[in-house]
Amino acid sequence: MTAIFYLSAVLAIAATVLAVTRVNAVHALLYFICSLLATGVMFFVLGAPFVAALVVIINAGAIMVLFVFVVMMLNLGPQSAKQERVWLQPRAWIVPTLLSVVLIVELIYSLMHYSSVVAAGRVVPPREVGIALFGPYLLAVELASMLLLAALLGAYHLGRGVLRFAGGQS
Amino acid sequence: MLGLLWLVPALPLAGFAILAIGGGRLPRRIVSAVAVGSVGLSTILAILVSARHLWLAPEGGVYSQTLWQWMRIGDFVPTVTFSLDALSLTMVLVITIVSLLIHIYSAAFMAPEEGYSRFFAYMNLFVGSMLILVLADNLLLLYLGWEGVGLCSYLLIGFWYKDPDNVRAAMKAFWVTRIGDTAFAIGIFLLFTSLGMLQIQPILREVAGYPVGSALCNASAALLLVGAIAKSAQLPLQTWLPDAMAGPTPVSALIHAATMVTASVYLIARMHMLFLRAPAVLSVVAIIGAATLLLASCSAIAQNDIKRILAYSTISQIGYMFLALGVGAWAAAIYHFLTHAFFKSALFLGAGVVIKTLGGEHDIFKMGGLRRHLPITFKAFMLAALTLAAVPPLTLTLNSKDLLLNQVWLSERGGDVLWLLGVVGAFLTAIYTFRIVFVVFFGPEQGKPGARPSLWMVIPFAVLSLVGGLVGVPELLNLLFGMKGFYSYLHSAMQGPVRDFGFAGGEWLFQAIYVAVSASGIALAYLLYRSVPERVRSLALTPVGSALHRLLFAGWGFDRLYHRAIVGPYVWLARLNRGDFVDLFYVAVAQVSRVTSFILSLTVTGNVRWYVAWIVIGAVIVLGLVVIL
Amino acid sequence: MATVPIEVGLFIAGVLFCIGLVGVLVRRNVIFILLSIEIMLNACGLAFVLAGSHWRQPDGQAMYFFILTMAAAEVAVGLSLVLQIYHQFGSLDANMVNRMRG
């Protein structure tokens, strides 16, 4: 089981790197979906089947699909890929990579002093997650629903004038 | 009856409150009625209370009335307490009676002026403060009255505030007396920290146990003395009083002749136990008194403005009081204050009548021959002048100045030098007094006399003059028949050693000397200003004469000295510091924030990706700090 | 049921986060920037679930639930903003947004 965890971890990292470096938007999105699926496997292996399902259903199945829809709506064709190639010069990578390396070093440094005993884990079934959500975290759940409502209204309002050009009614 | 003591200062203060709040809206009749009425009621009450006090003679000779507790700070609980003993009784009577007469006078004098209610509000406040000063039981309350009279002096000198010269004179008066007030306050602090109390009688009892010449007594007495010098315009702080004549004449009469300037005489007499323990300071008092009386008399001879002559005369007479205090003759000093209050304010009021009649003319050489035009004024002025010049046979009194000089001669602290200076001063006094009389009232008529002065002005003036002349009668009777007069009463209350001339007829001998001196002074004045005025003018034109005249006219150059030595450098320093180096710190703070703001504003480029980059950099740095520290 | 030392897991999450960070800084197309933000959010979620599994409590998963909700809301609004940008400026260049004068 541990081997599956590490394997999917490597897969996730590789897919993410590829997602970030593509010039074609749809390719990048698809690679990221791949990364999400690998993450889902990692969750399952860790004993969190509920969120494993959530990753696949919502993260990959709703959010990413939305991304794909928008990209397709914008109709980014070959000239956008050419544009990306122009924008994506090698020398643009230097400083961000440097910053990330510094960040990782800091992370490693803070993790080094932390050695935990690897005890036996346990599968946390959806039942317990549900009880937790509707018990101590009830208020947060309600707030999350309000957040979604706000997002809904915001997206609707922001998208109003735009849809006209795409051939639909506002 | 004695319980009504508190009303004596409270009534004028109530008058002040009424006039301050509503005076502008009340008609003039009511304003003057309130002002004169409050002082009048206070006077009547003062007389009744005093009579009762004299009749009843409470134990220790002191009656105390505590009104309320002023404040409470730990153990320090000063109260508002009025105490009445012989000294304060005398002062209260003089203050109220003189104030009443001057108020009646001013009701007519200030009638054509604007700011009528403001004037009377300030006058009432002044009377209230002065009464608080003399009735105060503790030094804190006394200081309150002290400050109050200083404030009113400033307000009233600058009464006609639209003229900047008046305002400058008022400010000068306030600043110079402030020097004294600060020293006085430090003296009070010193007494409080050393003795732990501020009530006068306990302080004096406590101090009696201290050795003569101890540091505390010397220091506090010296500080009180500085306060006294400033308030009474003695050397070296006398420069403000001649300029204070910029105020209306009733103000000069009340504040700068009769009452405020004598507050320090009261202070030293009241605290005489303390001063007795500081003999060095007492000697300084006497020397200052003697020096002042001479210098001021000399200056008075050279002045042209009638009010300035009288101002220098006041300085000189207070010098006499200081001289008496310095030799330990407390009663003589207070008695001289008593008579001086009456005749000096009478002289001022008379000067006011003359000024008003001539339409605002102050220069005596532009006046003349007024005795025909103002007969009553002339007679009253003459009486007051004779009292000032101390000519007993003509005034049927034993003059207070003569009594004073006797004490100076007899006292072990005094002696012949100081006595001689006093006598020379008397000679000069006679000269300048009758200089005024002869120039103003005799001689050819100059200037155009206007309407006859109002009776409301002339009567109070005449009454004051009369009282001044007659107040010495009991002393004459004392001398002849051994009756008790004011002087004996004061003497019994303030313990000074009883002295007598060793030889029989000593009194009469000295009296003869004084008469001779005064008479010769009057004769000289007659000679110079009546018979041969041209000689005076030609004398004044010689180089020595004109230099001397300039020196005396400028009050011995004190103003110029202070201006060069103190005011000039200070103003130069202030101009140097126009940028205010203390401000530099605050300006620097503002500049730093401005610069920082400018630098930070450079980061607001509008470039969105830049912002993102900086967020990341910031997060990395903060995380780094968290990890490292 | 795998038992993984939590430092290793957090390290993996950190690496994923940094990759997303690099993506945000490097890319100029707003779609890719949004995508990189999603990558970062995913990495955070992984960290929370790891912690939940370490403590053997459901709280980690509950937190992931909220993160997911927030990501969904954010993507919805973000994509409509992207559409607006495309509509206003005619291109998906993030530098076009500078015209709004910060």
Side-chain angles (χ1 to χ4, degrees):
Chain A
M1 287 299 242
T2 324
I4 298 182
F5 180 87
Y6 286 118
L7 190 62
S8 33
V10 169
L11 188 58
I13 292 175
T16 312
V17 170
L18 284 171
V20 168
T21 52
R22 298 301 98 200
V23 292
N24 192 327
V26 181
H27 291 181
L29 290 170
L30 289 173
Y31 274 119
F32 183 55
I33 289 173
C34 188
S35 164
L36 282 173
L37 292 174
T39 311
V41 171
M42 276 199 282
F43 287 166
F44 186 80
V45 163
L46 283 176
F50 180 58
V51 288
L54 274 184
V55 165
V56 177
I57 297 171
I58 295 178
N59 218 337
I63 296 174
M64 285 300 118
V65 169
L66 181 61
F67 256 103
V68 172
F69 281 166
V70 169
V71 167
M72 286 178 176
M73 204 163 70
L74 290 175
N75 215 359
L76 302 176
Q79 70 266 59
S80 85
K82 222 188 310 179
Q83 180 68 287
E84 286 290 330
R85 244 178 247 111
V86 169
W87 283 345
L88 216 55
Q89 305 284 349
R91 66 184 168 89
W93 289 88
I94 301 175
V95 173
T97 319
L98 197 65
L99 281 174
S100 300
V101 165
V102 170
L103 203 52
I104 292 188
V105 165
E106 285 171 5
L107 188 64
I108 294 174
Y109 183 78
S110 51
L111 281 176
M112 254 166 35
H113 303 292
Y114 193 71
S115 56
S116 66
V117 179
V118 181
R122 133 183 120 89
V123 175
V124 182
R127 186 165 177 277
E128 280 183 38
V129 181
I131 291 172
L133 278 178
F134 283 94
Y137 292 107
L138 180 60
L139 191 59
V141 172
E142 297 304 320
L143 287 175
S145 65
M146 274 192 248
L147 176 66
L148 286 171
L149 177 66
L152 172 68
L153 288 172
Y156 166 75
H157 185 73
L158 282 168
R160 277 224 350 228
V162 178
L163 291 176
R164 227 176 266 131
F165 90 94
Q169 279 86 23
S170 65
Chain B
M1 174 51 70
L2 280 179
L4 295 175
L5 178 60
W6 67 279
L7 277 175
V8 172
L11 282 169
L13 288 175
F16 159 71
I18 295 174
L19 290 174
I21 296 173
R25 278 163 253 148
L26 294 169
R28 292 208 165 184
R29 276 186 182 280
I30 308 248
V31 168
S32 53
V34 167
V36 174
S38 61
V39 179
L41 274 174
S42 183
T43 310
I44 295 172
L45 277 169
I47 295 175
L48 288 173
V49 168
S50 310
R52 190 90 180 123
H53 182 91
L54 286 168
W55 186 265
L56 211 56
E59 51 178 83
V62 180
Y63 166 72
S64 277
Q65 184 181 33
T66 306
L67 291 181
W68 70 82
Q69 210 180 70
W70 190 345
M71 58 181 108
R72 188 186 198 93
I73 305 174
D75 279 336
F76 178 50
V77 188
T79 57
V80 175
T81 307
F82 293 135
S83 76
L84 190 66
D85 65 348
L87 176 59
S88 49
L89 191 151
T90 315
M91 304 288 299
V92 166
L93 282 174
V94 172
I95 294 168
T96 49
I97 295 175
V98 172
S99 304
L100 176 63
L101 291 167
I102 294 181
H103 270 73
I104 299 174
Y105 177 93
S106 353
F109 187 88
M110 299 295 290
E113 305 287 335
E114 57 175 281
Y116 198 69
S117 61
R118 181 164 59 98
F119 179 81
F120 278 106
Y122 293 158
M123 290 286 269
N124 269 19
L125 179 62
F126 170 79
V127 175
S129 304
M130 191 72 201
L131 287 168
I132 290 180
L133 200 162
V134 299
L135 284 171
D137 179 52
N138 54 41
L139 283 174
L140 199 60
L141 195 59
L142 195 149
Y143 194 67
L144 175 74
W146 189 272
E147 291 287 303
V149 299
L151 171 70
C152 294
S153 166
Y154 164 76
L155 288 171
L156 284 165
I157 295 173
F159 181 70
W160 289 309
Y161 57 86
K162 299 210 171 100
D163 185 349
D165 285 334
N166 296 346
V167 174
R168 234 172 283 136
M171 289 203 284
K172 182 175 173 183
F174 195 77
W175 287 331
V176 178
T177 50
R178 206 83 198 106
I179 299 174
D181 294 346
T182 315
F184 188 11
I186 297 177
I188 294 181
F189 299 156
L190 191 63
L191 282 171
F192 180 67
T193 50
S194 311
L195 300 174
M197 62 184 106
L198 277 181
Q199 286 177 299
I200 298 183
Q201 294 305 326
I203 286 184
L204 295 179
R205 276 196 289 273
E206 186 77 22
V207 165
Y210 275 61
V212 173
S214 71
L216 169 68
C217 300
N218 271 336
S220 48
L223 286 167
L224 261 57
L225 177 61
V226 175
I229 290 175
K231 200 60 135 197
S232 290
Q234 298 295 288
L235 243 61
L237 294 171
Q238 87 285 14
T239 51
W240 65 273
L241 193 52
D243 289 338
M245 297 298 116
T249 308
V251 169
S252 309
L254 182 59
I255 300 184
H256 304 123
T259 40
M260 185 181 92
V261 289
T262 51
S264 35
V265 177
Y266 166 76
L267 177 70
I268 299 182
R270 173 65 82 194
M271 306 289 289
H272 68 264
M273 269 298 171
L274 178 65
F275 280 86
L276 276 177
R277 291 271 171 281
V281 180
L282 264 187
S283 314
V284 174
V285 174
I287 294 171
I288 288 180
T292 309
L293 72 90
L294 273 180
L295 261 55
S297 309
C298 293
S299 290
I301 298 180
Q303 302 295 321
N304 292 338
D305 185 336
I306 187 172
K307 284 177 72 176
R308 278 181 90 97
I309 302 177
L310 292 173
Y312 277 108
S313 167
T314 306
I315 298 176
S316 166
Q317 295 301 306
I318 299 175
Y320 272 101
M321 295 179 216
F322 266 59
L323 177 62
L325 290 169
V327 303
W330 328 107
I334 298 293
Y335 182 55
H336 190 61
F337 149 75
L338 197 154
T339 55
H340 173 265
F342 286 107
F343 65 66
K344 188 47 67 64
S345 48
L347 285 172
F348 266 106
L349 295 188
V353 171
V354 166
I355 292 172
K356 258 264 185 306
T357 310
L358 287 175
E361 182 57 66
H362 283 226
D363 190 343
I364 56 173
F365 290 107
K366 299 212 177 67
M367 311 172 184
L370 283 173
R371 78 167 185 278
R372 276 158 245 130
H373 197 80
L374 304 166
I376 308 178
T377 308
F378 166 63
K379 291 196 187 64
F381 201 92
M382 188 70 154
L383 180 61
L386 284 170
T387 320
L388 172 56
V391 189
L394 279 169
T395 54
L396 292 176
T397 66
L398 196 64
N399 198 280
S400 52
K401 199 190 308 181
D402 305 336
L403 266 170
L404 200 153
L405 288 172
N406 281 352
Q407 289 299 315
V408 174
W409 173 268
L410 290 171
S411 157
E412 62 213 17
R413 243 184 252 292
D416 27 9
V417 175
L418 288 171
W419 179 84
L420 194 62
L421 292 175
V423 171
V424 170
F427 177 63
L428 293 170
T429 306
I431 296 180
Y432 69 65
T433 312
F434 276 84
R435 177 171 175 254
I436 303 180
V437 173
F438 288 136
V439 172
V440 173
F441 290 101
F442 289 79
E445 264 198 34
Q446 299 181 37
K448 279 213 211 349
R452 304 293 295 278
S454 149
L455 224 59
W456 288 108
M457 292 201 327
V458 175
I459 292 184
F461 159 46
V463 169
L464 272 174
S465 179
L466 212 60
V467 173
L470 291 177
V471 82
V473 168
E475 300 312 314
L476 191 65
L477 296 175
N478 182 12
L479 187 65
L480 295 176
F481 305 118
M483 262 179 61
K484 274 199 156 287
F486 296 113
Y487 178 61
S488 339
Y489 173 61
L490 283 166
H491 199 80
S492 63
M494 286 184 288
Q495 297 308 319
V498 181
R499 292 198 190 84
D500 237 334
F501 287 95
F503 49 103
E507 300 255 357
W508 294 106
L509 172 64
F510 275 76
Q511 196 60 46
I513 298 178
Y514 301 139
V515 172
V517 163
S518 304
S520 46
I522 297 177
L524 188 61
Y526 182 83
L527 202 68
L528 291 174
Y529 294 103
R530 199 70 187 97
S531 340
V532 283
E534 309 82 39
R535 281 294 297 278
V536 179
R537 245 158 268 158
S538 60
L539 257 175
L541 287 172
T542 64
V544 175
S546 69
L548 191 65
H549 179 89
R550 268 204 309 275
L551 180 69
L552 294 180
F553 187 78
W556 294 84
F558 272 92
D559 265 329
R560 210 152 147 245
L561 174 69
Y562 289 152
H563 200 85
R564 299 282 291 273
I566 299 174
V567 177
Y570 186 77
V571 170
W572 174 79
L573 266 178
R575 285 220 186 95
L576 207 62
N577 194 28
R578 199 176 279 163
D580 198 356
F581 74 94
V582 176
D583 250 358
L584 273 178
F585 172 68
Y586 302 103
V587 170
V589 168
Q591 269 303 100
V592 163
S593 60
R594 212 179 283 140
V595 166
T596 316
S597 151
F598 177 72
I599 292 175
L600 286 177
S601 71
L602 290 173
T603 62
V604 182
T605 55
N607 192 332
V608 178
R609 297 178 71 227
W610 252 96
Y611 293 165
V612 176
W614 277 102
I615 292 174
V616 172
I617 295 174
V620 167
I621 291 176
V622 169
L623 267 172
L625 283 173
V626 167
V627 161
I628 294 175
L629 299 169
Chain C
M1 186 59 257
T3 55
V4 172
I6 191 164
E7 309 88 59
V8 177
L10 286 177
F11 176 70
I12 296 169
V15 169
L16 281 174
F17 185 87
C18 290
I19 295 171
L21 191 64
V22 169
V24 170
L25 290 174
V26 170
R27 310 301 304 236
R28 249 168 96 159
N29 194 326
V30 289
I31 300 271
F32 284 95
I33 294 177
L34 264 177
L35 177 66
S36 307
I37 293 175
E38 283 307 304
I39 297 172
M40 293 203 293
L41 277 170
N42 179 52
C44 297
L46 173 62
F48 269 101
V49 172
L50 276 166
S53 138
H54 177 72
W55 294 105
R56 294 190 286 287
Q57 283 175 352
D59 298 74
Q61 297 185 45
M63 278 315 300
Y64 185 82
F65 183 83
F66 296 129
I67 291 174
L68 198 59
T69 314
M70 189 223 62
E74 174 236 330
V75 163
V77 176
L79 283 173
S80 51
L81 280 175
V82 166
L83 289 177
Q84 276 287 351
I85 289 174
Y86 190 69
H87 180 52
Q88 301 286 345
F89 301 116
S91 105
L92 285 171
D93 188 357
N95 284 351
M96 286 293 128
V97 183
N98 298 346
R99 285 195 200 160
M100 290 206 299
R101 288 259 146 247

